[in-house]
Amino acid sequence: MGSDAGDATPSLDEVRWRIDAIDGELLALLDERAGLARAVAAAKQAAGDTGFGLRPGREALIVRKLVEAPRKAASDALVIRVWRELMADSLARQGPYHLTVWGGSNPARAVELTRLRFGVAPPMTVAATDREALAAAKTPWGVGVLGLVPDNAWWGRLLAEPRLKIFAALPCLERWGPQVAFAVAEVEVEPTGGDQTFWVTDSPKAAAAIIEALSADGVAAELVAEAGGLKLFALLGFYQAGDARLARAPGSLTGVIGAAPTQFDV
């Protein structure tokens, strides 16, 4: 098929022939990639590395690089869904990777967002309670996905679970809707160059007053949820738990409970 502006428009048969040829090339590359993923799993086992292989920071860097790459027709959504499936399949080959989802009054939306983010490779269980989902996130190779539900401060319990962290906010594209669920696991969260940090406080001050106090210290914040005497804020950027600016912020019971990449199309 020609590519010059003066070339004649290809026939439908020619277009279909090219699609068939590309499908064959894609299948060969997909098979090769799956084989390499298997080799990675074997190499890790040989080295005695049986820990959770999830690296959310690395995955985010890969996805962001792909989304920012020049393209003519493939949408961000298509690129993200294809590579999320590839990365999930690779991870599922390395250990007992599994998902537990709790969506409160809207479990179907939570399940949909979980599959968009983690693909179809890892098995999924729908939890009856938020506590069940958090408990599952503490099991080996477990990820819990929990929805943001009014009058439920499940995220506040992460203050007492320092190993359990929010590492993803769902969905990852603004065009898929506002972020209404979080993924939680015992993983390390790392800066990716475009992050939001999740911070909890028990300050009785109004959200606007807390945002103003943080802003005066150079921290941009947005209220995400409020329940049970606690407030959850998203801070623009990546903040460590011991950041002095957060230590000066309002509240006696406060803390960072994780971080996640901002939506890729914001």
Side-chain angles (χ1 to χ4, degrees):
M1 294 175 63
S3 58
D4 294 338
D7 289 349
T9 301
S11 68
L12 182 58
D13 285 342
E14 289 175 317
V15 173
R16 285 173 173 167
W17 175 86
R18 182 56 183 148
I19 288 175
D20 289 344
I22 290 174
D23 283 347
E25 295 169 7
L26 283 173
L27 179 58
L29 289 172
L30 190 64
D31 189 52
E32 181 181 1
R33 193 186 193 284
L36 291 172
R38 184 179 299 166
V40 168
K44 285 187 173 182
Q45 289 177 359
D49 182 0
T50 58
F52 196 3
L54 180 63
R55 299 292 182 269
R58 172 172 164 75
E59 288 187 4
L61 290 172
I62 291 172
V63 171
R64 188 174 289 127
K65 181 178 180 180
L66 291 167
V67 168
E68 293 174 353
R71 281 168 280 136
K72 293 182 179 179
S75 67
D76 290 350
L78 176 60
V79 170
I80 288 174
R81 292 195 68 181
V82 168
W83 261 268
R84 286 297 188 195
E85 291 288 351
L86 291 173
M87 290 187 286
D89 180 78
S90 177
L91 186 57
R93 293 171 184 269
Q94 299 177 31
Y97 185 25
H98 60 282
L99 310 168
T100 303
V101 183
W102 176 78
S105 59
N106 194 0
R109 178 59 171 161
V111 167
E112 176 190 19
L113 293 177
T114 301
R115 284 307 187 197
L116 282 173
R117 171 60 177 78
F118 297 101
V120 299
M124 177 193 297
T125 300
V126 177
T129 66
D130 54 325
R131 291 182 181 276
E132 183 182 340
L134 288 176
K138 293 190 287 185
T139 62
W141 291 74
V143 169
V145 176
L146 297 94
L148 286 173
V149 177
D151 300 323
N152 186 306
W154 63 261
W155 33 267
R157 293 202 293 276
L158 299 184
L159 289 171
E161 299 277 1
R163 294 183 59 187
L164 201 57
K165 299 180 181 69
I166 292 174
F167 68 89
L170 315 182
C172 67
L173 286 179
E174 187 179 35
R175 70 195 64 179
W176 286 343
Q179 295 179 330
V180 293
F182 292 132
V184 178
E186 290 188 345
V187 294
E188 291 300 321
V189 291
E190 300 173 328
T192 70
D195 302 289
Q196 53 188 326
T197 299
F198 299 104
W199 177 75
V200 175
T201 179
D202 66 347
S203 173
K205 292 184 177 181
I210 298 172
I211 291 172
E212 183 178 358
L214 288 166
S215 177
D217 219 354
V219 179
E222 179 181 2
L223 181 68
V224 174
E226 183 174 2
L230 299 174
K231 297 180 181 69
L232 172 62
F233 290 88
L235 313 180
L236 184 59
F238 188 88
Y239 289 85
Q240 300 282 358
D243 192 288
R245 291 165 293 183
L246 302 184
R248 292 191 292 267
S252 56
L253 178 63
T254 67
V256 170
I257 59 170
T262 56
Q263 291 180 310
F264 293 115
D265 56 344
V266 169

